[in-house]
Amino acid sequence: LMLEICMEEDIELSSLALSYVYFEKLVLKSEVTKENRRALAAACVLLAVKFNDRKFLEAPRAVLPFVAGIEKRLGIATKGMAG
């Protein structure tokens, strides 16, 4: 799921790796359930992209279309996550 999102949005490989690290930390803390795993995966990708991806560091507002793509692809509400 996270790989597909990153490939479609042309996200740096290092951001993808960081998103997996974030998600794995949540799994190890037993925070991930069947009901919330898609939303948490999306949040991990978004955090990794916002902190690590060069194109979003240079133009922070560029993350808004990325968030819209996540909402559409996963069918989850990410309202307030981009701010």
Side-chain angles (χ1 to χ4, degrees), residues 15-72:
S15 295
L16 174 64
L18 187 58
S19 68
Y20 274 103
V21 169
Y22 291 155
F23 190 75
E24 192 171 292
K25 286 184 177 197
L26 291 171
V27 169
L28 291 173
K29 290 183 178 183
S30 300
E31 298 292 332
V32 179
T33 65
K34 188 173 183 177
E35 294 79 27
N36 69 4
R37 68 179 177 217
R38 293 174 76 87
L40 289 177
C44 290
V45 170
L46 180 60
L47 284 173
V49 164
K50 285 179 79 171
F51 288 123
N52 193 55
D53 204 298
R54 191 172 313 133
K55 66 183 173 187
F56 295 114
L57 289 173
E58 294 169 358
R61 285 290 170 199
V63 80
L64 295 176
F66 178 70
V67 171
I70 290 175
E71 282 183 325
K72 182 179 176 184

